[in-house]
């Protein structure tokens, strides 16, 4: 196989926790087997997302969470996109190696069970054995990239670099003659030899003001040169793996075009995201967008404005039971009169007035650019499940873990409050929704029942209530939070709370709550 010799025995002694979920691998195989998938011109999204996310984990470990003012913020973005390039070429290679096994000797498509069994050795190598080696090397090289950036910033104080011995229990001999070498940061020696140019090399560099040493001499040996894929300095070109890696040099037909097309799409999505999202949040959301596009079989459009995302578009099948009528027989608490809506049919329309748990996420995905709308609440469905105090389960953190909302009861306990009031709800909203972004709120009402809706903090500092279930033309999309504060339950149940979701991933298990 394409990198067997290159990676041979390179994972010995590596202790990083790593696995590729069986469910994701099975889903990817189903996608490759599907009639509409074109392995030469497409990149299988499930494999790509998981492998790219794995490579990006190496960056987080080395650079930490990046703020927009961090000196390495732009460099970090380049690293992430280059990880995407590497992952895309890897997946294109894997999917085509597996797709070559789809047809039998008679020219007919093999049954899925037979083909998946025959393709599994390739999938297992690519997504487990080889990916483990790639990840472990990425961890080391990401740290070396972070170190190099620091060396460059501090070379006026610590002008030299020292090659430190390997920390491996059984270090190789190929770098041993360089241990202890001290040379200036800008010495061309580091362009040809440095820690990290061997797979899973555990040598490091250390900045120092020790005087330079001589360059090690000895007979030239081809084995001393960098291995394929590791010829570059990731601290200079923002690539954990070079363009000479076999995934790049031994490609199947169509690889370059397929990768370029995918990268163009990713860059477009990342560029249109708001600046208050961190780089790692943007890339994770871009991956999530690809997953959603695949599941919905539709392409995300440009991000929508608040009005376009709301304005009854998140819940277009809603029909009010009562309509404003100055001569109507019904009156609300504010003195407005209503009459029964002759177009309202309870059997058809009621479910669209009790589907708030679906309208709120529909609004959030519409803000991203997905033209989705809420289905009506139906018994024994995921819509019904979310309505039973499970609204926050539709979202995941960018690392895939469950989200933890800011529960109203926990906030009350921290404040020493026994019950809520309009003033305290305002305090709760303001404190919990401090950062610009979109928040899902679940709130109980004074007179019983509850609701899932949206709070949104805008860049100008304003905090508004957005009601995607029922749009009010008299008010517009941005409503006052006073409506919520005045009507909130005095003693909310333990599961009510607030969760910021514009920086989260939508759980694709719940995509069937939407009309598409």
């Amino acid at each position: 196989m394409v990198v067997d010799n290159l990676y041979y025995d390179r994972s010995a002694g590596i202790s990083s926790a790593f696995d590729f979920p069986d469910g994701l691998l099975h889903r990817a195989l189903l996608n490759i087997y599907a009639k509409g998938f074109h392995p030469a011109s497409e990149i299988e999204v499930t494999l790509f997302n998981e492998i790219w996310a794995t490579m990006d984990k190496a960056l987080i470990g080395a650079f930490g969470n990046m703020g927009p003012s961090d000196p390495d913020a732009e460099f970090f973005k380049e690293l992430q996109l280059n990880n995407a390039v590497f992952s895309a070429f890897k997946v294109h290679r894997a999917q085509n190696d597996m797709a070559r096994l789809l047809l039998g000797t008679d020219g007919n498509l093999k049954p899925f069970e037979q083909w998946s069994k025959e393709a599994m050795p390739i999938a297992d190598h690519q997504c487990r054995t080889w990916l483990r080696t790639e990840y472990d090397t990425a961890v080391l090289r990401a740290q070396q990239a972070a170190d190099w950036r620091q060396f460059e910033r501090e070379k006026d104080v610590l002008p030299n670099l020292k090659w430190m011995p390997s920390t491996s229990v059984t270090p190789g001999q190929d770098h041993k003659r360089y241990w202890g070498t001290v040379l200036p940061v800008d010495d061309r020696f580091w362009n040809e030899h440095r820690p990290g140019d061997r797979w899973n090399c555990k040598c490091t560099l250390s900045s120092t003001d020790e005087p330079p040493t001589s360059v090690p001499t000895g007979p030239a040996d081809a084995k001393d040169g960098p291995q394929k894929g590791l010829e570059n300095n990731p601290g200079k070109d923002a690539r954990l793996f070079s363009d000479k890696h076999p995934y790049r040099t031994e490609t199947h037909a169509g690889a370059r075009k397929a990768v370029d097309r995918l990268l163009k799409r990713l860059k477009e999505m990342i560029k249109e995201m708001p600046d208050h999202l961190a780089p790692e949040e943007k890339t994770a959301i871009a991956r999530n967008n690809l997953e959603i596009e695949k599941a919905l079989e539709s392409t995300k459009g440009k991000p929508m404005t608040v009005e376009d995302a709301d304005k009854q578009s998140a819940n277009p099948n809603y029909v009010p039971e009562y309509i404003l009528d100055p001569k109507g027989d019904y009156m609300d608490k504010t003195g407005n009169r209503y009459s029964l809506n002759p177009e309202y049919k309870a059997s058809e329309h009621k479910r669209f007035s009790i589907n708030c748990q679906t309208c709120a996420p529909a609004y959030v995905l519409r803000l991203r650019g997905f033209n989705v709308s809420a289905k009506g609440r139906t018994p024994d469905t995921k819509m019904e499940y979310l309505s039973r105090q499970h609204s926050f389960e539709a979202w995941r953190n960018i690392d895939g873990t469950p989200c933890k909302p800011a529960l109203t009861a926990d906030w009350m306990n921290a404040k020493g409050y026994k019950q809520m009031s309009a003033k305290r709800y305002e305090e709760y909203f303001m404190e919990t929704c401090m950062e610009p972004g979109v928040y899902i709120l679940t709130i109980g009402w004074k007179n019983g029942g509850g609701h899932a809706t949206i709070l949104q903090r805008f860049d100008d500092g304003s905090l508004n209530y957005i009601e995607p279930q029922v749009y009010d033309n008299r008010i517009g999309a941005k409503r006052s939070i006073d409506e919520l504060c005045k009507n909130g339950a005095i003693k909310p149940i333990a599961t009510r709370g607030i969760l910021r979701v514009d920086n989260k991933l939508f759980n694709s298990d719940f995509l069937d709550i939407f009309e598409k």
Side-chain angles (χ1 to χ4, degrees):
M1 294 183 184
V2 68
V3 294
D4 258 348
N5 293 332
L6 187 61
Y7 293 172
Y8 177 72
D9 199 31
R10 293 293 171 179
S11 61
I14 298 299
S15 60
S16 61
F18 177 84
D19 192 23
F20 198 100
D22 289 336
L24 289 181
L25 200 53
H26 181 72
R27 188 191 306 171
L29 291 175
L30 285 172
N31 290 340
I32 295 169
Y33 188 81
K35 184 178 180 180
F37 182 72
H38 305 285
S41 59
E42 298 179 45
I43 304 293
E44 199 288 311
V45 169
T46 303
L47 285 181
F48 170 73
N49 278 351
E50 187 67 16
I51 291 170
W52 185 20
T54 298
M55 292 294 105
D56 277 357
K57 286 178 185 177
L59 300 182
I60 301 297
F63 287 87
N65 293 320
M66 281 281 141
S69 61
D70 192 287
D72 288 329
E74 291 302 316
F75 183 76
F76 187 84
K77 293 177 186 177
E78 289 184 53
L79 280 165
Q80 288 182 310
L81 285 175
N82 285 323
N83 275 352
V85 173
F86 174 83
S87 303
F89 273 106
K90 175 180 173 69
V91 172
H92 192 273
R93 176 77 203 200
Q95 70 192 27
N96 279 277
D97 284 350
M98 291 187 280
R100 292 170 68 180
L101 305 176
L102 283 168
L103 303 181
T105 55
D106 58 359
N108 294 321
L109 183 67
K110 297 174 184 176
F112 176 77
E113 291 73 16
Q114 177 188 346
W115 170 75
S116 61
K117 184 176 180 180
E118 293 173 1
M120 187 53 68
I122 298 173
D124 195 62
H125 271 75
Q126 280 280 10
C127 300
R128 294 199 171 100
T129 307
W130 294 350
L131 184 57
R132 181 191 297 271
T133 297
E134 289 156 0
Y135 171 73
D136 286 327
T137 301
V139 168
L140 297 172
R141 283 173 65 84
Q143 187 59 59
Q144 289 158 2
D147 289 344
W148 191 270
R149 300 287 291 181
Q150 193 66 23
F151 297 154
E152 291 281 2
R153 284 192 288 269
E154 295 181 347
K155 63 184 180 182
D156 59 328
V157 179
L158 297 170
N160 301 324
L161 298 179
K162 184 175 184 177
W163 194 310
M164 306 302 292
S166 172
T167 59
S168 175
V169 176
T170 55
Q173 298 299 307
D174 42 5
H175 279 165
K176 197 167 185 178
R177 69 192 186 107
Y178 299 126
W179 294 357
T181 299
V182 178
L183 292 168
V185 173
D186 297 324
D187 195 288
R188 64 182 183 181
F189 171 83
W190 302 120
N191 294 331
E192 301 170 4
H193 306 283
R194 73 199 151 273
D197 66 4
R198 316 290 290 174
W199 287 92
N200 281 325
C201 168
K202 292 186 178 179
C203 300
T204 58
L205 291 174
S206 177
S207 55
T208 181
D209 58 1
E210 293 180 36
T213 63
S214 58
V215 176
T217 58
D221 190 334
K223 293 182 179 179
D224 285 347
Q227 291 182 319
K228 289 183 179 180
L230 305 178
E231 299 91 344
N232 64 312
N233 181 343
K236 290 185 175 182
D237 65 6
R239 299 171 188 266
L240 297 186
F241 304 105
S242 78
D243 293 347
K244 295 181 181 180
H245 190 284
Y247 294 151
R248 304 287 297 271
T249 60
E250 300 176 34
T251 61
H252 286 286
R256 180 76 260 177
K257 287 185 178 180
V259 173
D260 286 347
R261 188 181 303 113
L262 177 61
L263 263 291
K264 180 182 178 182
R265 182 84 182 105
L266 289 170
K267 288 178 180 179
E268 289 172 349
M269 288 194 288
I270 291 171
K271 184 178 180 180
E272 66 193 18
M273 292 181 195
D275 292 337
H276 58 251
L277 293 177
E280 61 271 19
E281 292 172 337
K282 291 183 178 183
T283 52
I285 292 169
R287 286 193 287 267
N288 190 218
N289 287 344
L290 292 177
E291 181 184 13
I292 294 171
E293 286 183 335
K294 179 70 175 178
L296 296 180
E297 298 180 342
S298 65
T299 302
K300 186 188 82 67
K302 294 291 184 182
M304 296 186 192
T305 65
V306 173
E307 285 287 340
D308 288 339
D310 187 21
K311 210 168 187 177
Q312 210 55 66
S313 299
N315 193 29
N317 295 310
Y318 169 79
V319 175
E321 185 176 359
Y322 300 92
I323 56 176
L324 279 169
D325 181 356
K327 298 180 180 180
D329 296 330
Y330 304 91
M331 183 182 294
D332 64 18
K333 293 180 180 179
T334 61
N336 294 313
R337 287 189 171 276
Y338 297 83
S339 61
L340 286 171
N341 185 353
E343 296 183 3
Y344 178 81
K345 297 178 181 179
S347 60
E348 295 180 20
H349 300 131
K350 184 177 180 179
R351 60 198 183 102
F352 292 101
S353 63
I354 53 173
N355 64 340
C356 58
Q357 70 287 339
T358 306
C359 297
Y363 170 79
V364 180
L365 290 193
R366 289 181 65 80
L367 285 176
R368 285 196 199 178
F370 289 100
N371 190 21
V372 296
S373 61
K375 288 182 178 178
R377 180 170 158 184
T378 308
D380 301 319
T381 63
K382 289 176 182 176
M383 290 87 79
E384 178 77 11
Y385 175 80
L386 290 176
S387 73
R388 303 297 183 188
Q389 310 304 319
H390 298 289
S391 289
F392 302 124
E393 292 181 30
W395 302 93
R396 289 286 184 267
N397 295 316
I398 61 172
D399 62 359
T401 57
C403 299
K404 185 177 181 181
L407 298 174
T408 314
D410 290 346
W411 181 85
M412 291 171 66
N413 290 335
K415 293 286 186 178
Y417 295 156
K418 298 297 183 182
Q419 61 184 30
M420 293 294 281
S421 64
K423 185 177 180 180
R424 287 175 179 177
Y425 269 112
E426 180 181 8
E427 182 184 7
Y428 169 52
F429 296 161
M430 288 297 183
E431 288 186 4
T432 307
C433 307
M434 292 182 67
E435 299 176 340
V438 184
Y439 300 77
I440 284 185
L441 163 71
T442 59
I443 187 171
W445 300 128
K446 281 182 180 178
N447 297 325
H451 191 48
T453 191
I454 298 291
L455 293 172
Q456 190 162 348
R457 176 76 73 176
F458 294 91
D459 289 336
D460 64 2
S462 61
L463 179 67
N464 289 98
Y465 161 37
I466 312 291
E467 183 45 75
Q469 186 178 39
V470 181
Y471 184 81
D472 191 328
N473 286 300
R474 298 168 301 172
I475 302 173
K478 297 181 181 180
R479 302 162 71 149
S480 171
I481 63 172
D482 291 348
E483 295 182 59
L484 301 169
C485 297
K486 292 175 182 177
N487 295 302
I490 294 174
K491 292 187 177 181
I493 62 176
T495 53
R496 308 286 192 197
I498 295 174
L499 177 69
R500 183 180 171 190
V501 294
D502 65 299
N503 62 349
K504 301 293 190 297
L505 310 181
F506 187 77
N507 185 345
S508 59
D509 290 341
F510 289 95
L511 282 171
D512 57 2
I513 69 174
F514 302 125
E515 301 283 2
K516 54 183 180 178

